[in-house]
Amino acid sequence: MASTNVTLSLQSQQISQHQQPPQPSDLDAIHNKQLIPQLRESLANLMKIAGQLLHQNATTDDSLKSVDGQQQRLERTLEEFYSICDQLEVNLRLNLESVQQNADSSKFLPLQVNVPKDNNQLPEGQALQYSQYLQITKQQISCAKEVHDLLLKFSKKVTER
């Protein structure tokens, strides 16, 4: 039952991928575009605070005055800058992974899948019928299961020695 649910969810994911190739969504692009000005502002703020702290340290070298408040402010600004950089990195990696998944998808199943429309008629053109697509998917799943079982057997044999 659980394997059937996994198979069905995998099939529905693959169907949706082949009907419309996944591309980095507009929301990701908009989010990245919003992060760039924030990153610039954060970097400018970081440089400003670092310059102020450096100037204050230079002028107070002779006296033993503490500047802990400014240093905490610098650390907080630095954390904000790194946080925005991390957000950008995660978004860019996600976009790259999406592009790679699209390339893999088109490599292993280059034809589109025809799914019946509302009136149960299939669209015209060079594409796989849904039943053919299901057959290919079942073969890929069984092949992956065989590889998994072989690796499991191999790892048991290796640990027995």
Side-chain angles (χ1 to χ4, degrees), residues 124-161:
E124 298 295 324
Q126 183 181 6
L128 290 175
Q129 300 298 323
Y130 184 70
S131 59
Q132 293 171 327
Y133 171 73
L134 284 179
Q135 197 66 19
I136 290 172
T137 304
K138 287 177 184 177
Q139 289 173 353
Q140 290 174 344
I141 290 171
S142 67
C143 181
K145 186 173 173 28
E146 287 177 26
V147 169
H148 177 267
D149 292 342
L150 285 172
L151 289 173
L152 197 59
K153 273 185 188 179
F154 177 73
S155 66
K156 285 181 182 178
K157 286 182 180 180
V158 167
T159 55
E160 289 175 356
R161 291 183 181 194

Side-chain angles (χ1 to χ4, degrees), residues 74-111:
L74 176 69
E75 289 172 5
R76 190 174 52 245
T77 307
L78 190 59
E79 285 297 320
E80 178 187 342
F81 176 74
Y82 282 139
S83 172
I84 295 171
C85 286
D86 290 342
Q87 289 176 23
L88 271 172
E89 181 181 9
V90 166
N91 285 339
L92 291 173
R93 285 183 190 221
L94 180 65
N95 290 342
L96 179 62
E97 201 171 308
S98 176
V99 168
Q100 287 174 339
Q101 185 176 10
N102 185 26
D104 289 343
S105 176
S106 63
K107 176 182 175 185
F108 293 112
L109 192 60
L111 299 174

Side-chain angles (χ1 to χ4, degrees), residues 60-85:
T60 59
D61 269 345
D62 294 333
S63 64
L64 299 175
K65 192 176 179 183
S66 176
V67 288
D68 289 335
Q70 284 281 32
Q71 197 158 11
Q72 289 174 351
R73 190 171 154 207
L74 176 69
E75 289 172 5
R76 190 174 52 245
T77 307
L78 190 59
E79 285 297 320
E80 178 187 342
F81 176 74
Y82 282 139
S83 172
I84 295 171
C85 286

Side-chain angles (χ1 to χ4, degrees), residues 28-59:
D28 290 339
I30 290 170
H31 188 67
N32 285 342
K33 286 180 182 179
Q34 290 174 350
L35 285 176
I36 298 296
Q38 288 178 0
L39 184 66
R40 269 191 207 135
E41 182 180 321
S42 178
L43 181 60
N45 195 18
L46 177 65
M47 292 297 140
K48 178 182 169 187
I49 291 172
Q52 289 173 353
L53 187 61
L54 185 63
H55 179 68
Q56 191 173 10
N57 282 341
T59 57

